[in-house]
Amino acid sequence: MIKELNFTQASIANIPSPLERIEYKDAKQGSFQLRVSPSGDKIFYIYRRVRGAGSGVAAARIKIGSFDSLSLADARAEFKRLDSLCEQGIDPRVSAKEKQAESVLLSQAYKEYIASRKEVKQTLRNYDSLYRTYLEKYSNKQLANIDRKLVEKLYLDIESDSQAEGTKRLLRAIFNFAKNEYLKADGTSYFPDNPTGIIKHKRLTRHVGRKTTYVRGSNFHQFKQALLEVREAGTITAKSICDAMEFALYTGLRKEEVIGLKWSDVYDEYMV
């Protein structure tokens, strides 16, 4: 059973350590409470129902702080702030989570985006290179403050067309991830807008031609390893493409020839 106590600095300091955890409520403000444990810890709480919450919704117990590190005056001031939010129908626990989500930094969103991906190692290395070269200077900037104007300037300041496009795609992917990762209590996003859309809107997109490269002896093993990684993490289609590429690598056949092959074209005695 909760006990009533006139909260003062002295009355709280004189509470002895109990054999079992015990709770006290302030004689003046009953929802301002103190929990005392056998170890001697004394923790301030607010315990009340949020206005507008249904009758089946339990009262919220929200920690304010420890008596050892927080004066009674400061604890009471924080209690009044939380009590005011509850009175307005705002759950302070949700409010705190929302504030945290609103202040997400680019560096945090990037790390969480990368952690959610199942890309091949080379793709992740490319992401990391683009981030360190062009986006790292904005690491401590909140996503909410990365707007169209900043994105446009960043894009235009990059001399290389391919690097500019790569950076735009990476930033677009981060914002698309954030749109579905950081949600409000009602399910809407804190970041519904993707500022990279300004590039297409202003027709600034740089058209980069497809790059032609060749597998040489020096990078043969690296190419085979990349195919292996895609096979392990990819779909059935991706695995089939890897098989076709490896077959072409060893036979020298063109793409159309590999795709058009039939079992009747294969001599069993040459199979190993």
Side-chain angles (χ1 to χ4, degrees), residues 54-95:
S55 58
V57 179
R61 180 183 295 278
I62 305 167
K63 180 178 177 181
I64 294 175
S66 170
F67 179 66
D68 292 336
S69 58
L70 198 64
S71 70
L72 176 60
D74 289 340
R76 195 177 291 280
E78 178 63 7
F79 161 76
K80 289 180 179 179
R81 186 187 72 83
L82 297 173
D83 188 57
S84 175
L85 289 174
C86 290
E87 190 63 27
Q88 297 173 56
I90 301 172
D91 189 330
R93 297 166 298 182
V94 175
S95 178

Side-chain angles (χ1 to χ4, degrees), residues 215 220 223-224 227 231 238-268 270-272:
V215 178
F220 181 82
F223 180 77
K224 282 205 64 177
L227 289 178
R231 274 198 188 96
K239 292 176 181 178
S240 298
I241 293 173
C242 288
D243 291 341
M245 292 179 70
E246 189 168 1
F247 190 84
L249 184 66
Y250 284 112
T251 61
L253 294 176
R254 294 182 174 85
K255 179 178 69 175
E256 294 78 9
E257 294 172 330
V258 172
I259 294 174
L261 273 177
K262 299 177 182 178
W263 279 111
S264 58
D265 299 323
V266 179
Y267 293 95
D268 291 347
Y270 293 111
M271 294 179 65
V272 295

Side-chain angles (χ1 to χ4, degrees), residues 16-169:
S17 299
L19 295 177
E20 296 181 353
R21 188 179 69 188
I22 189 169
E23 295 176 351
Y24 296 85
K25 65 179 180 178
D26 184 28
K28 297 177 182 178
Q29 296 167 304
S31 53
F32 184 30
Q33 300 183 3
L34 182 76
R35 177 176 285 178
V36 184
S37 67
S39 64
D41 291 334
K42 300 171 182 178
I43 307 297
F44 290 111
Y45 286 90
I46 176 174
Y47 183 71
R48 63 157 291 173
R49 181 173 278 105
V50 177
R51 177 177 286 277
S55 58
V57 179
R61 180 183 295 278
I62 305 167
K63 180 178 177 181
I64 294 175
S66 170
F67 179 66
D68 292 336
S69 58
L70 198 64
S71 70
L72 176 60
D74 289 340
R76 195 177 291 280
E78 178 63 7
F79 161 76
K80 289 180 179 179
R81 186 187 72 83
L82 297 173
D83 188 57
S84 175
L85 289 174
C86 290
E87 190 63 27
Q88 297 173 56
I90 301 172
D91 189 330
R93 297 166 298 182
V94 175
S95 178
K97 290 180 180 179
E98 290 184 348
K99 186 175 182 181
Q100 184 179 15
E102 286 178 337
S103 60
V104 171
L105 303 178
L106 175 63
S107 56
Q108 177 187 343
Y110 172 67
K111 289 177 183 178
E112 293 182 3
Y113 166 69
I114 291 298
S116 72
R117 306 304 298 165
K118 294 182 179 180
E119 309 284 0
V120 297
K121 292 180 181 179
Q122 183 58 48
T123 301
L124 295 178
R125 283 195 290 267
N126 290 341
Y127 286 164
D128 186 59
S129 176
L130 288 170
Y131 184 86
R132 286 187 289 104
T133 305
Y134 302 108
L135 297 176
E136 194 166 47
K137 57 186 174 183
Y138 303 112
S139 285
N140 294 323
K141 199 171 188 66
Q142 294 180 1
L143 278 188
N145 294 329
I146 298 178
D147 55 18
R148 290 175 172 81
K149 185 176 180 181
L150 186 152
V151 171
E152 181 181 350
K153 184 177 186 305
L154 168 67
Y155 182 80
L156 295 177
D157 284 347
I158 300 175
E159 294 184 6
S160 166
D161 290 347
S162 60
Q163 293 286 288
E165 280 296 302
T167 303
K168 180 197 71 176
R169 286 195 294 269

Side-chain angles (χ1 to χ4, degrees), residues 172-224:
R172 180 176 62 200
I174 294 172
F175 269 94
N176 284 341
F177 169 79
K179 179 179 181 179
N180 295 292
E181 182 70 13
Y182 308 115
L183 304 176
K184 301 178 183 178
D186 62 2
T188 59
S189 177
Y190 286 106
F191 309 105
D193 179 50
N194 194 320
T196 61
I198 192 64
I199 305 301
K200 183 177 181 180
H201 176 71
K202 288 194 172 184
R203 299 183 180 180
L204 299 174
T205 302
R206 307 186 199 184
H207 299 286
V208 181
R210 180 170 294 182
K211 186 177 180 181
T212 301
T213 56
Y214 300 92
V215 178
R216 303 183 186 281
S218 58
N219 55 16
F220 181 82
H221 178 74
Q222 183 180 2
F223 180 77
K224 282 205 64 177

